[in-house]
Amino acid sequence: MSQVNTALGAVDTAQLGRTYVHEHLFTLTADVQANYPDEWGGEDERVADAVGKLRALAAQGIRTIVDPTVVGLGRHIPRVRRIAEQVPELNIIVATGLYTYDEVPGFFRYRGPGLNDVLGTEVADPMVEMFVRDITEGIAGTGVKAGMLKCAIDRQGPTDGVVRVLRAVAAAHRRTATPITVHTHPESRNGLDARRILCDEEGIDPRRIVLGHSGDSPDCDHLAELADAGFLLGMDRFGINLDISFEARADTLVEMCRRGYTDSLVLSHDAACYIDWVDPAHLHLLPQWHYLHIGEEVLPYIRERGVTEGQITTMLVDNPRRLFEGADA
């Protein structure tokens, strides 16, 4: 039996239960929040709101969420731990890594490989040690250890900064065996870039990698190609019905199950208790974008179209557990 780190300590993977592998507690622009905190309001009020929403999620039968909020998304682990202590019935797995679509943050620009040309030699990337320390020792003195690695590749493709982060994540994975989730942009088919860099070049087993946001694409042939390569596909933006409708997103899930890819799918909303990327005045345009949407609306919809309880259990319980137990589980 394997263990995985959570905000309240390590738990056996057998205790993960129904798991959403991509949910945020808070998605924040740290510099803006530090200098213009008016919209955020009071810390106690935000924490209480999050506790209420997560208790409702746990009451729906979800036992674990993975929060892939890392540097670049406003990660603040003391707040996460404070919330987790008030919702002990829900495991919260936090992440380490770095979120960028193009360049690395200024902090890293002239450190590590950023100095290669200046010094005329290969310089180790400090990101790797930072990520490994988050996993093995804990984050920012909290004692909370990360259980997931996170990186991103979007429509900009494999820029130098993106590739640097992917390689640092791969190095941290090789040292810790921690699974990886990759933000992808399926319309650009850059899951194939992730495959080339992380698997072909860095040697990572695709069975330890979730290609996030795969459900943004209704192209089941392309999704099948990625699943056949061994990846887990994140059908993880239920409720974000902008570029793709609720029906199209759910029908893609149904079709992938019909084709026999249930073992390759994991579910989530990519929701948050609070996200400052969206003007609160316009959040009413996404009325289904919340933690309870899958349980209340998606599962009934796919059941009516032939997805079985066994398949639902595979996607919500078995596949996440295998991800954290290792490729041979």
Side-chain angles (χ1 to χ4, degrees):
M1 188 176 296
S2 301
Q3 291 196 318
V4 58
N5 292 320
T6 79
L8 296 181
V11 301
D12 292 333
T13 51
Q15 296 177 304
L16 294 179
R18 289 196 165 206
T19 300
Y20 289 157
V21 299
H22 197 118
E23 306 290 359
H24 299 273
L25 269 63
F26 300 97
T27 303
L28 304 171
T29 311
D31 285 354
V32 174
Q33 292 295 335
N35 289 280
Y36 305 96
D38 294 349
E39 184 181 286
W40 168 258
E43 179 77 9
D44 290 346
E45 289 77 12
R46 287 291 179 195
V47 167
D49 178 68
V51 167
K53 289 174 178 174
L54 293 174
R55 284 176 176 167
L57 177 59
Q60 202 182 56
I62 300 301
R63 289 293 166 260
T64 302
I65 61 170
V66 180
D67 179 357
T69 306
V70 294
V71 171
L73 293 170
R75 186 183 73 174
H76 186 66
I77 296 302
R79 181 184 296 128
V80 173
R81 179 164 185 166
R82 181 183 174 192
I83 292 166
E85 288 170 345
Q86 298 179 63
V87 196
E89 64 270 32
L90 182 73
N91 300 309
I92 301 173
I93 299 171
V94 306
T96 186
L98 195 148
Y99 188 88
T100 181
Y101 296 164
D102 37 62
E103 297 182 353
V104 296
F107 178 90
F108 295 103
R109 194 165 300 152
Y110 296 110
R111 300 174 189 244
L115 293 172
N116 287 356
D117 291 340
V118 175
L119 300 179
T121 187
E122 294 290 322
V123 183
D125 198 324
M127 286 186 213
V128 178
E129 294 301 327
M130 295 166 78
F131 300 163
V132 170
R133 186 169 66 247
D134 282 355
I135 294 164
T136 60
E137 299 179 19
I139 300 168
T142 63
V144 176
K145 297 177 181 179
M148 179 70 83
L149 283 154
K150 168 74 174 287
C151 51
I153 180 168
D154 206 83
R155 66 175 75 241
Q156 295 88 337
T159 66
D160 289 346
V162 163
V163 172
R164 179 177 165 185
V165 176
L166 265 63
R167 296 200 192 284
V169 162
H173 170 85
R174 286 194 295 270
R175 288 174 55 180
T176 65
T178 302
I180 298 168
T181 186
V182 187
H183 164 107
T184 68
H185 184 255
E187 184 180 349
S188 303
R189 299 171 67 88
N190 52 33
L192 299 174
D193 292 312
R195 177 186 181 181
R196 173 178 57 82
I197 297 164
L198 290 175
C199 303
D200 298 345
E201 298 176 5
E202 295 291 336
I204 308 303
D205 187 333
R207 292 176 294 174
R208 306 305 312 287
I209 300 172
V210 179
L211 296 181
H213 316 323
S214 295
D216 285 359
S217 172
D219 184 349
C220 291
D221 291 339
H222 175 55
L223 297 182
E225 178 184 11
L226 297 172
D228 287 338
F231 293 104
L232 277 175
L233 306 183
M235 316 300 279
D236 56 25
R237 279 184 164 170
F238 282 102
I240 305 180
N241 304 320
L242 295 174
D243 296 329
I244 185 170
S245 69
F246 165 82
E247 291 79 11
R249 192 181 291 277
D251 288 343
T252 298
L253 177 61
V254 171
E255 174 62 13
M256 291 299 288
C257 290
R258 188 194 67 78
R259 293 191 185 193
Y261 289 104
T262 308
D263 288 346
S264 301
L265 308 174
V266 288
L267 308 182
S268 297
H269 306 89
D270 194 13
C273 300
Y274 173 77
I275 176 171
D276 70 7
W277 293 13
V278 182
D279 186 334
H282 299 299
L283 277 174
H284 68 278
L285 299 174
L286 294 169
Q288 294 174 305
W289 193 30
H290 56 80
Y291 296 142
L292 305 182
H293 171 54
I294 290 175
E296 291 179 345
E297 296 170 280
V298 177
L299 297 186
Y301 183 94
I302 66 174
R303 286 184 183 113
E304 290 175 359
R305 286 153 182 81
V307 176
T308 68
E309 292 303 319
Q311 288 175 307
I312 291 170
T313 297
T314 295
M315 293 184 286
L316 288 177
V317 179
D318 302 333
N319 294 345
R321 188 186 69 244
R322 284 191 293 106
L323 174 68
F324 286 102
E325 288 180 344
D328 296 327

